[in-house]
Amino acid sequence: ITPYYDEPLWMIERNIKSVLFQKMPAGKYVQHVISVDFGGEEADKKVQEILAIVKKLCDANPDTSYECCIGHLDKNMGLPSARNAAIRSAKGHYLFLLDTDDMMAYPERVEDQITFMENMNLDHSYGGYEEIHGEGKPTGKIVLNTDDMMEALRKGTNPCFCGSNCFTIKMVKTIGLFDESMLDGAEDMEYWVRAAIHPDIRSNFLGYRPLYYLGIHGNNMTARYMAEGKFKKAYEYMDQKHPGFFYKA
């Protein structure tokens, strides 16, 4: 699941490559759903440009187990709406989040995480990441967060780093989609709060190696939202939505 909002085409190509080269067992494939978060003629043009990238990569690698579905919203509606639109279009049983500036960390990542979840009968799993600069060079920082999910969330921190998450369609049917009113960030954290407090959802941490590369660059959304003070509003909203869940200072 990759939401896209006018990032450079080289960035979405890098993202697509990391999914396209996932190694899958015989008879299984990865479906990559890309949701363009704006509408109109410009969105139609961007979809065609991304499709051209997909065709070029697939023609050069005909033996990959990859399918791509690209669509766009009627207008810019925000990250939660773009993610939800992609989830509604997805066919698979397991859903992976991957923002445009992120990449799968290694070719067996999807298979490893699904196997981990099947062996432990999980609805959701998450893990760590390795930072890369915008052009793809490692920064040297690797984060493997082993904090207990419930405890970390109650402290107001998000242990479920976005591009590391895999969850099932069953979980979506149980706790719903992302909250589309959360346009100030942290909509993913609120989703994991819902997963953590639901008695029928089982989550666990897959932590022996980074699961994705986190792109660090000047237009990074998390850094931008922090600088603009948007997360404060998001946390206030979550505290109202889930009264008594978060620890008080």
Side-chain angles (χ1 to χ4, degrees):
I1 300 295
T2 299
Y4 174 86
Y5 183 73
D6 208 24
E7 290 84 1
L9 288 174
W10 64 262
M11 193 177 285
I12 189 65
E13 179 169 351
R14 186 177 69 178
N15 174 288
I16 291 168
K17 279 183 180 178
S18 78
V19 180
L20 183 138
F21 290 121
Q22 288 295 303
K23 295 180 180 178
M24 299 297 292
K28 294 186 177 181
Y29 66 96
V30 175
Q31 183 199 38
H32 194 181
V33 184
I34 300 172
S35 180
V36 176
D37 186 19
F38 54 92
E41 293 181 5
E42 185 61 28
D44 292 333
K45 177 184 175 183
K46 195 62 67 173
V47 168
Q48 292 305 313
E49 289 174 338
I50 297 173
L51 280 172
I53 292 171
V54 171
K55 184 177 187 305
K56 177 186 72 174
L57 293 173
C58 288
D59 287 348
N61 303 276
D63 296 328
T64 58
S65 302
Y66 178 85
E67 175 186 297
C68 190
C69 173
I70 307 172
H72 67 78
L73 305 182
D74 292 333
K75 60 181 180 179
N76 177 14
M77 298 175 65
L79 182 57
S81 293
R83 282 201 180 122
N84 287 344
I87 290 171
R88 292 187 188 100
S89 298
K91 300 179 191 173
H93 178 66
Y94 292 95
L95 303 172
F96 292 78
L97 299 183
L98 197 68
D99 287 344
T100 306
D101 50 1
D102 300 333
M103 296 185 293
M104 297 285 189
Y106 59 99
E108 299 81 16
R109 184 265 170 98
V110 167
E111 185 177 8
D112 281 358
Q113 199 160 0
I114 290 175
T115 299
F116 172 71
M117 292 176 65
E118 289 178 341
N119 288 343
M120 297 191 67
N121 192 28
L122 300 176
D123 305 291
H124 168 230
S125 66
Y126 60 99
Y129 63 85
E130 180 175 357
E131 277 189 4
I132 57 172
H133 291 294
E135 70 276 11
K137 295 180 181 178
T139 67
K141 182 177 179 179
I142 294 176
V143 178
L144 298 175
N145 192 341
T146 57
D147 289 347
D148 175 79
M149 177 177 164
M150 178 75 81
E151 188 70 8
L153 288 168
R154 295 196 72 188
K155 290 178 180 176
T157 61
N158 185 2
C160 307
F161 306 122
C162 181
S164 75
N165 288 280
C166 174
F167 52 102
T168 63
I169 285 292
K170 173 205 161 186
M171 181 167 129
V172 175
K173 292 178 178 178
T174 302
I175 69 171
L177 294 162
F178 289 92
D179 186 333
E180 295 185 0
S181 71
M182 294 191 69
L183 301 179
D184 294 313
E187 77 293 326
D188 57 334
M189 180 176 172
E190 191 278 327
Y191 199 64
W192 315 134
V193 169
R194 275 187 272 155
I197 63 180
H198 199 288
D200 296 331
I201 300 299
R202 290 169 49 87
S203 300
N204 210 331
F205 176 80
L206 176 59
Y208 71 96
R209 66 187 293 185
L211 296 178
Y212 76 109
Y213 293 119
L214 173 66
I216 303 297
H217 52 89
N219 199 35
N220 182 271
M221 187 184 72
T222 299
R224 191 172 72 248
Y225 277 19
M226 288 181 69
E228 295 171 358
K230 288 189 173 184
F231 280 135
K232 182 180 179 182
K233 294 180 181 178
Y235 277 76
E236 290 172 352
Y237 172 80
M238 285 192 291
D239 195 34
Q240 294 174 1
K241 186 172 181 178
H242 303 286
F245 177 81
F246 296 100
Y247 294 138
K248 301 298 182 182

